[in-house]
Amino acid sequence: MKKEIIVVAGPTAVGKTKYAIAIAKAFNGEIVSCDSMQLYKYMNIGSAKPTAEEQSQVPHHLVDEIDPKEPFSVAKYSRLAKEAIADIFARGKTPIISGGTGLYLNALLYDMDFGNAPKDDALRETLEKEAELFGPEYIYKKLCEVDPNAAQRIHPNNVKKVIRALEGASAGCSITDFKNCKEKCKDYDAILIGLTRNRQELYDRINLRVDIMVEEGLFREVEELLEMGLAEEDISMKGIGYKEVIGFFDGLYDKDTAIDLIKKNSRHLAKRQLTWFRRYEDMKWFDISEYSGDEDAIEDIITWLRKR
């Protein structure tokens, strides 16, 4: 019988951290983050990283581990997370995967070949020169024409990733093929738990969380990261909450507009996350809004897990 991991997925601000900690406590588990921002050092407020008190309750992996100046990829996440999972299993404990980054979760659920994207050195050199001469938007428009699905998921200023996507598209290999992997990981089985709330409640939680982030010093956190030498071109600084504050510092809009943009972009992210996670046919969904409180919902989830 294969070993099992427990996945706690859902949209931003739904409450994954609290639920993952409760499940980890109930099943002698340790948490492996599946969040593309919480793995970075120094980015605590804008990433809604688990607090020191939360992390003290249950061991956390892939939280606060990567320098935000380092380039990071799905392939690297897959390697580090699977190493953490193997270590947790080796110590007789249960890996609890918690987060909202769908592509990272795919990398754990399916055997994805990250080395099959073709390379074209001549094409890459040409595209790099075009980006330098005409700007990132020029090559991004090319990607929109040949692989609009990939273009939707890549920021126009992420030149390196745009070029890689164009290389793949030129050889008929879209990077979006990763979403369609069907061969499940052979190392373990996964129990998938999806958390959701009714839309208004979720949006209210998102708005409140952004207000709390601002009160806790989000703008100062971004300022300190910029003083460390990070810039809007760095992948880590393209996360929601960071890119909007950079726009404020660049004089593109006032502080209230920046805050409103963070809220709006976070709501849009939540919709995309729900769309992604609903593709998993074997995910068991729990609508937290149907319960009188978190404790009742947690009790129901743990009961369901024990009855499996």
Side-chain angles (χ1 to χ4, degrees):
M1 184 176 177
K2 271 200 287 189
K3 295 176 180 177
E4 291 181 322
I5 63 173
I6 299 174
V7 175
V8 181
T12 185
V14 77
K16 295 183 291 293
T17 297
K18 181 175 183 178
Y19 282 71
I21 289 172
I23 292 168
K25 287 180 175 179
F27 292 92
N28 189 28
E30 296 186 8
I31 293 172
V32 180
S33 175
C34 189
D35 187 288
S36 62
M37 295 302 297
Q38 292 180 1
L39 53 83
Y40 289 118
K41 297 176 181 178
Y42 320 120
M43 307 181 83
N44 302 322
I45 299 172
S47 70
K49 193 175 292 180
T51 64
E53 192 276 328
E54 287 171 329
Q55 292 188 52
S56 71
Q57 296 181 49
V58 173
H60 282 65
H61 303 263
L62 293 187
V63 173
D64 208 31
E65 290 188 14
I66 306 299
D67 191 305
K69 294 178 183 176
E70 283 184 33
F72 199 77
S73 65
V74 181
K76 187 170 183 180
Y77 170 79
S78 177
R79 178 176 61 79
L80 293 175
K82 287 181 177 179
E83 286 174 1
I85 289 169
D87 173 59
I88 294 167
F89 277 140
R91 289 182 284 105
K93 297 194 171 187
T94 305
I96 312 295
I97 315 303
S98 175
T101 302
L103 202 55
Y104 281 14
L105 180 56
N106 254 28
L108 299 183
L109 299 182
Y110 300 103
D111 286 326
M112 294 165 63
D113 182 4
F114 294 102
N116 68 353
K119 294 183 179 180
D120 186 331
D121 292 334
L123 175 61
R124 185 186 310 148
E125 188 175 344
T126 299
L127 292 169
E128 287 172 348
K129 286 180 179 177
E130 288 180 349
E132 188 176 344
L133 288 171
F134 308 118
E137 191 67 26
Y138 179 82
I139 58 167
Y140 182 74
K141 285 180 180 177
K142 286 189 173 187
L143 181 61
C144 291
E145 293 170 4
V146 299
D147 191 347
N149 289 327
Q152 274 191 319
R153 291 185 16 252
I154 301 174
H155 193 283
N157 290 335
N158 189 345
V159 174
K160 188 174 182 179
K161 197 165 184 179
V162 170
I163 290 174
R164 284 294 289 131
L166 282 167
E167 282 184 78
S170 71
C173 176
S174 168
I175 63 170
T176 59
D177 289 342
F178 287 155
K179 291 193 299 183
N180 302 318
C181 293
K182 297 299 180 186
E183 191 68 33
K184 290 192 174 181
C185 180
K186 299 177 181 66
D187 298 329
Y188 44 75
D189 286 327
I191 304 169
L192 305 182
I193 294 169
L195 303 180
T196 187
R197 297 177 187 263
N198 74 53
R199 187 171 68 173
Q200 191 55 56
E201 182 182 351
L202 181 62
Y203 285 4
D204 287 345
R205 285 174 63 90
I206 288 171
N207 293 339
L208 176 60
R209 188 163 80 171
V210 173
D211 288 336
I212 291 171
M213 286 177 175
V214 172
E215 289 174 12
E216 289 180 345
L218 174 61
F219 282 74
R220 180 57 191 156
E221 178 172 273
V222 177
E223 194 171 29
E224 289 173 350
L225 289 165
L226 294 172
E227 289 170 354
M228 287 169 55
L230 285 152
E232 62 180 329
E233 290 79 22
D234 291 297
I235 302 299
S236 58
M237 297 294 275
K238 296 185 186 298
I240 295 172
Y242 293 93
K243 60 183 180 181
E244 295 86 356
V245 175
I246 290 175
F248 161 71
F249 286 132
D250 286 345
L252 301 180
Y253 35 71
D254 60 22
K255 188 172 184 177
D256 287 342
T257 300
I259 294 169
D260 287 341
L261 279 172
I262 297 170
K263 292 177 179 178
K264 182 182 78 172
N265 291 337
S266 296
R267 294 193 297 268
H268 289 167
L269 170 63
K271 288 175 67 175
R272 293 195 303 273
Q273 289 171 312
L274 284 167
T275 298
W276 182 290
F277 292 130
R278 282 173 179 149
R279 294 190 183 115
Y280 298 116
E281 295 177 359
D282 48 353
M283 182 168 282
K284 171 69 172 177
W285 285 95
F286 291 87
D287 186 341
I288 302 170
S289 299
E290 294 178 353
Y291 294 87
S292 59
D294 285 328
E295 299 312 315
D296 285 345
I298 289 169
E299 183 180 350
D300 203 16
I301 292 170
I302 291 173
T303 299
W304 177 79
L305 283 167
R306 285 187 171 139
K307 285 181 178 178
R308 288 184 76 262

